[in-house]
Amino acid sequence: MATITVKRPKLSFVEKLYLPAIFKGLKITAGHAIRALKGSTPDKTMQYPEQKWDHELPEHYRGAPALVTDEHGRERCVSCQLCEFICPPRAITIIPGEIPANDQWAKVEKAPREFKIDMIRCIYCGMCEEVCPEQAIFLRKDYAITGTTRAEMVHDKTRLYEIGGVREGLVNKWNELK
Amino acid sequence: MDWFFTLSTAVKVVLSIVTLLTIVALASYAERRVSAIIQDRVGPNRVGVPLTLFGAKKDWAFFGLLQPLADGLKFILKEDFVPAHVKKFYFWLAPALTMIPALLTFAVIPFGSTMVVGEHTVPMVIANLNVGPLFILAISSLSVYGIVLAGWSSNSKYPFLGGVRSSSQMISYEISLGLSLVPVLMVFGELNLSKIVDYQNHNGWLLLPAWGEGLSVERWVLMIPMLISFLIFTISVFAETNRMPFDLPECETELVAGYHTEYSSMKFALFFMGEYAAMVVGSGIIVTLYLGGWSLPFGLLQNDEGSIWKSLAHVGCFLTKVVAWIIFFMWVRWTLPRFRYDQLMRLGWVWLFEIALANVFLTAVIIMIFRK
Amino acid sequence: MPEPLFYFFSLLTLIFGVGVVINRNPVASALCLVASFIGLAAIYVSLNAYFLGTIQVLVYAGAVMVLFLFIIMLMDIRAEERRKFNLVAVGGGMVLVIGFLAMFSSVVSGFKGGEQRLSQLPLDTTKSDVVEIGKTLFTDYTFHLQIVGVLLLVATVGVVVLSRREDRPSAPHEAP
């Protein structure tokens, strides 16, 4: 690579004093301050709890992970535990359970007895969504997950279905018609 | 020593410390608001009076002015962590040593005209010393110990580098600080700050000689060395208080947080408050020496027979000037980038020192010509 | 000044003075010296010598000791703390101290001013001590002042000469 020698600019005496440059800088910042005080600065800052960005969240936004049910109200999750294994911070705990033989969905065989996501540990990476063969777990747009105790921050199965809601279409292999 | 003197001094001490700490607290809020409006942001505007706790519909945000209270509460409640590798005694001593000199120097700054209460007169200065400026220089030169000890006792590299930088920086700029004062003292011929302010009250501020004796040719010619001295003094105060263009002891891009890296909780808060208190006192000195202290411009309210209200008006005038200077300090901080270390030393030793020295001679020559 | 304050500050000065000698840690010694200087300054102030007291703090505590501390911080303190007790040095020091005390007491016993109280001395405390010191320095002791100035200048020039690097024609280039 060829070396390009850049000549340093020769400073005049006034420039070497630095003071004019300092005053110029002070003028610029004062201009910004005066504009802000007059209120003519474009209002870029969002006052968070009052103003929110929710309606502008993109489709691929990675918020809190949640479980979904399909159009028949069936839990999509078959408790294969892949998400539990892939989860980098080990936030997911699944206790698998059996679907009784007299159930409508007996051929699915397994459903989670308990499904917990510790939201203190969750890093919102979306690995669980990626790995799920049943498309049962999705990252939703909820982002303000707060609680006053550690226990409150662990989302159990009911809470997860509450956030997740129903997702139609997608995987249809457990459909009665097939 | 009569009881009235003791009582009035005690009241003055308490009131001035309370005022100083209040200004320090508000300055920490103002710093964030000023930086915010300069950078087109909003800044802290939330912490106010929580009226909802008392059943009201809405909180009163109060422009976030109660933010310092919340900060103070946070500092008190946080864990005061002392790392295992520090030298404990000096580690505890250092924060106090940065805070105390800043509070002490305030003792000699006159903050108002003499107040007449009944048959007593109360000078609005805590200690009317005959060596005011020297006292300020002496005590503020002690504040370097806090920083040096903090850096050394933390026993780790970044604080240590911060401490070493700070000690050399403060020693270097103390010289130009002292030398730039000499021409001013030559003009006044006086080392008593109260008398200096009184002179400026009657004969025009040092940088605004527009009434009284100040309308002489001599004072206007003396403006040249006075402006130079003012400039050098201000720059040196910036360096002595470790403010922005010269905040190398704690420059976060190189030294994490400099000398207070290992500090937490209230000990850190003491360093923080010490820095701001030094800034308040620095502004107070600049105002007292160059901008007429508590006096109003153009000889307004200058005659001596003082009621309480007039004296309080003068105190208000002093506080207004000090606050204006503090805002100037912040304005500079959010405008200028940090100096490099060699640039800092070059500026101190090669430029400011020499110019201050030449300035002494220039002033002497001008005074000799006019007062022959 | 009330007497208790005088005894307090004298005691402070002496205790920290002893601390300078017996501390094995140089930083502790240096800080003790600073505290001792400040006690001394307080005694000066109590004698109405405000200027002297302030200068004591400004020069010794504020400038000289900061430089000391600056150097000490860069030293290996552990080596200093490990150092053995040197009997010969202690003996020599003792002899010096005794000699100094003998000389000091003979001088002090010959000084009659101490028998009078300060308030009875024909001193004009209304005059500014800064003005008085300045007048004395620049009239009676002008020559001495100039000598000291030259001495300091020589020392400064010496430091510059010693610390200046030899000008090398070209620094050896390192491989890129």
Side-chain angles (χ1 to χ4, degrees), chain A residues 19-36:
Chain A
L19 283 175
I22 287 173
F23 285 122
K24 210 185 271 176
L26 286 174
K27 214 177 102 194
I28 290 172
T29 44
H32 276 269
I34 288 164
R35 246 177 297 152

Side-chain angles (χ1 to χ4, degrees), chain B residues 90 134 141 145 148 152 167 171 191, chain C residues 28 34 51 61-62 65 70 73:
Chain B
Y90 303 104
L134 288 175
S141 70
Y145 282 108
V148 170
W152 177 74
S167 55
I171 292 169
L191 276 172
Chain C
V34 173
F51 179 70
M65 286 318 291
F70 186 69
M73 284 197 329

Side-chain angles (χ1 to χ4, degrees), chain B residues 12-322:
Chain B
K12 276 187 287 185
V13 168
V14 171
L15 277 186
S16 52
I17 286 184
V18 168
T19 316
L20 194 62
L21 291 182
T22 312
I23 294 179
V24 166
L26 289 179
S28 75
Y29 161 81
E31 177 96 86
R32 281 176 272 175
R33 273 324 268 272
V34 169
S35 72
I37 62 167
I38 281 176
Q39 298 170 347
D40 298 341
R41 295 183 285 111
V42 177
N45 63 345
R46 293 272 158 182
V47 186
V49 185
L51 290 177
T52 39
L53 285 185
F54 306 109
K57 284 233 174 62
K58 268 189 81 182
D59 284 338
W60 182 35
F62 201 41
F63 311 111
L65 263 171
L66 295 189
Q67 181 75 38
L69 270 184
D71 287 342
L73 200 64
K74 188 188 88 175
F75 276 130
I76 290 170
L77 293 180
K78 269 196 161 184
E79 187 192 354
D80 192 4
F81 184 74
V82 180
H85 55 74
V86 302
K87 303 188 168 65
K88 288 253 165 39
F89 178 73
Y90 303 104
F91 191 76
W92 279 78
L93 191 67
L97 281 183
T98 38
M99 189 68 192
I100 291 170
L103 293 181
L104 263 183
T105 31
F106 199 72
V108 292
I109 298 177
F111 48 86
S113 56
T114 306
M115 190 188 271
V116 181
V117 185
E119 70 265 35
H120 301 284
T121 54
V122 185
M124 284 286 117
V125 55
I126 294 168
N128 194 4
L129 276 190
N130 275 328
V131 286
L134 288 175
F135 178 83
I136 290 170
L137 287 180
I139 299 296
S140 64
S141 70
L142 291 181
S143 65
V144 67
Y145 282 108
I147 292 172
V148 170
L149 276 184
W152 177 74
S153 68
S154 291
N155 211 0
S156 65
K157 60 187 165 196
Y158 295 125
F160 182 74
L161 284 174
V164 169
R165 275 186 180 187
S166 154
S167 55
S168 46
Q169 170 183 332
M170 283 175 118
I171 292 169
S172 310
Y173 277 80
E174 243 163 50
I175 295 172
S176 42
L177 193 75
L179 269 180
S180 66
L181 261 188
V182 174
V184 176
L185 302 178
M186 278 158 73
V187 171
F188 288 128
E190 180 62 66
L191 276 172
N192 186 323
L193 286 174
S194 297
K195 285 183 190 159
I196 287 177
V197 175
D198 217 42
Y199 177 79
Q200 293 188 72
N201 183 24
H202 289 291
N203 300 312
W205 300 351
L206 199 56
L207 291 182
L208 184 67
W211 61 96
E213 279 177 28
L215 282 170
S216 60
V217 185
E218 181 197 345
R219 284 288 296 279
W220 282 91
V221 174
L222 275 173
M223 279 279 278
I224 304 163
M226 286 307 109
L227 267 177
I228 297 172
S229 140
F230 172 69
L231 214 59
I232 296 174
F233 191 79
T234 311
I235 294 172
S236 304
V237 167
F238 271 96
E240 284 284 300
T241 50
N242 295 326
R243 286 291 297 187
M244 186 45 170
F246 311 113
D247 69 339
L248 287 134
E250 47 185 309
C251 103
E252 55 280 314
T253 43
E254 294 161 23
L255 298 180
V256 188
Y259 57 92
H260 55 58
T261 304
E262 306 281 358
Y263 282 87
S264 54
S265 176
M266 211 53 208
K267 288 216 251 342
F268 166 75
L270 271 179
F271 280 117
F272 193 75
M273 283 156 67
E275 187 189 318
Y276 277 89
M279 195 169 90
V280 175
V281 171
S283 313
I285 299 164
I286 293 175
V287 165
T288 304
L289 288 173
Y290 295 94
L291 299 170
W294 43 259
S295 63
L296 273 79
F298 304 109
L300 293 170
L301 280 180
Q302 75 167 7
N303 45 341
D304 286 328
E305 81 280 6
S307 65
I308 292 179
W309 296 115
K310 193 196 250 173
S311 182
L312 285 182
H314 283 146
V315 174
C317 181
F318 178 74
L319 286 180
T320 313
K321 287 180 193 172
V322 168

